[in-house]
């Protein structure tokens, strides 16, 4: 039982933050994969610079110690080295900037014809989701609220402060449009594994597009300080197989709205 519990609690929620986590969560969208790859690319240059600068520093301290070199030379500038230490870093910056801009602009790209549009509305302190593509009997779009499971309520396997009563169900491997807004103060719809962090601004619609590449449950939290319960309005996105999506909407989401 303890082994099962351990397996379930440590391996199952792999798309949520883990204790003492240092790296990023596993990517589930091409965008998040791009962010992780860019991080690794930049880290390569970072290590080169770190080694080079440390080497120069240690060498300088060693060779120019007052005991080794009591009378310093009176050199104030050297053209060659000045050209080198200007050109070389700018080349490195270019190698960082090109993939960085490519990723930035591709994130900004709006999917022309998304299969599904979901509106995420932030409230103090819960979320409302609107499936704008479906109408219920009274021509209203399918809407439901998503509250955090209170701290003393979670069942075994549910993450503390991360699980919600109504998850956002989306089909995997499909282009989705997420429209983010707020009903009161600034909130943010952020899910690390999906590579999304979109501000929810009252009176304004922000748009982001995702395509979840694998089925799973992805956890996120509000990322804009929005009041006392800022930490208690998590986001849970459940990506299901496209075949199952229709029945999930029908059986799970529609009864939640109480309109079916
Ligand atoms: Cu918030």
């Amino acid at each position: 039982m303890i082994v099962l519990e351990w397996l379930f609690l440590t391996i199952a929620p792999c798309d949520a933050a883990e204790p003492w986590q240092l790296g990023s969560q596993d990517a589930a969208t091409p965008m998040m994969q791009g962010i992780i790859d860019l991080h690794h690319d930049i880290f390569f240059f970072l290590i080169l610079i770190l080694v080079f600068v440390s080497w120069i520093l240690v060498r300088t301290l060693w060779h120019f110690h007052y005991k080794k070199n009591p009378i310093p030379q009176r050199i104030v500038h050297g053209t060659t080295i000045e050209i080198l230490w200007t050109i070389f870093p700018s080349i490195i910056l270019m190698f960082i900037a090109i993939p960085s801009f490519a990723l930035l602009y591709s994130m900004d790209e709006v999917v022309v014809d998304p299969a599904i549009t979901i509106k995420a509305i932030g409230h103090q302190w819960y979320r409302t989701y609107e499936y704008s593509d479906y109408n219920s009997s009274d021509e209203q779009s399918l809407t439901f609220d998503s509250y955090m499971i209170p701290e003393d309520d979670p069942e075994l396997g549910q993450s503390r402060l991360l699980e919600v009563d109504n998850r956002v169900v989306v089909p995997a491997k499909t282009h989705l449009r997420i429209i983010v807004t707020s009903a009161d103060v600034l909130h943010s719809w952020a899910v690390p594994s999906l590579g999304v962090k979109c501000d929810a601004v009252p009176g304004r619609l922000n748009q982001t597009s995702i395509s979840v590449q694998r089925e799973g449950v992805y956890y996120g939290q509000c990322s804009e300080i929005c009041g006392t319960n800022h930490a208690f309005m998590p986001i849970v996105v459940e990506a299901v197989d496209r075949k199952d999506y229709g029945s999930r909407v029908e059986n799970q989401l529609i009864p939640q709205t109480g309109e079916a």
Side-chain angles (χ1 to χ4, degrees), residues 186-187 222 224 226 230 233:
L186 288 178
H187 296 278
C222 183
E224 198 73 70
C226 61
H230 162 66
M233 49 181 299

Side-chain angles (χ1 to χ4, degrees), residues 73-228:
Q73 288 186 337
R74 295 190 170 271
I75 296 173
V76 282
H77 67 92
T79 315
T80 322
I81 194 143
E82 279 165 17
I83 289 173
L84 271 178
W85 75 37
T86 309
I87 303 276
F88 196 61
S90 46
I91 291 172
I92 294 179
L93 279 184
M94 218 174 66
F95 273 105
I96 293 174
I98 291 169
S100 172
F101 279 122
L103 186 67
L104 193 70
Y105 287 121
S106 63
M107 276 178 164
D108 216 25
E109 201 76 28
V110 170
V111 175
V112 182
D113 195 17
I116 287 159
T117 301
I118 295 168
K119 191 169 168 188
I121 307 159
H123 293 270
Q124 278 177 319
W125 290 273
Y126 64 99
R127 291 173 189 281
T128 302
Y129 293 99
E130 214 175 280
Y131 282 62
S132 323
D133 299 307
Y134 316 112
N135 282 345
S136 55
S137 46
D138 56 350
E139 295 291 308
Q140 294 283 308
S141 45
L142 183 58
T143 308
F144 62 90
D145 294 336
S146 177
Y147 282 88
M148 186 191 79
I149 303 279
E151 235 181 305
D152 39 5
D153 246 15
E155 288 163 23
L156 183 64
Q158 287 189 333
S159 298
R160 179 180 156 269
L161 304 183
L162 279 180
E163 195 56 66
V164 295
D165 55 357
N166 294 321
R167 293 170 167 179
V168 192
V169 180
V170 298
K173 297 194 176 84
T174 309
H175 286 290
L176 311 169
R177 171 165 53 198
I178 313 284
I179 288 174
V180 182
T181 187
S182 168
D184 35 54
V185 298
L186 288 178
H187 296 278
S188 178
W189 200 81
V191 186
S193 280
L194 306 183
V196 176
K197 182 168 280 183
C198 190
D199 273 354
V201 185
R204 202 188 142 113
L205 292 176
N206 280 340
Q207 179 172 275
T208 180
S209 32
I210 51 170
S211 170
V212 188
Q213 293 301 297
R214 56 187 166 85
E215 289 153 47
V217 184
Y218 305 98
Y219 293 87
Q221 286 171 301
C222 183
S223 294
E224 198 73 70
I225 301 284
C226 61
T228 23

Side-chain angles (χ1 to χ4, degrees), residues 10-18 21-37 40 191-196 211-220 237:
T10 53
I11 295 171
C14 59
D15 292 305
E18 287 166 32
Q21 183 177 347
L22 289 177
S24 300
Q25 290 173 37
D26 293 345
T29 57
M31 217 47 85
M32 190 57 204
Q33 193 56 57
I35 293 171
I36 292 174
D37 290 345
H40 294 347
V191 186
S193 280
L194 306 183
V196 176
S211 170
V212 188
Q213 293 301 297
R214 56 187 166 85
E215 289 153 47
V217 184
Y218 305 98
Y219 293 87
V237 178

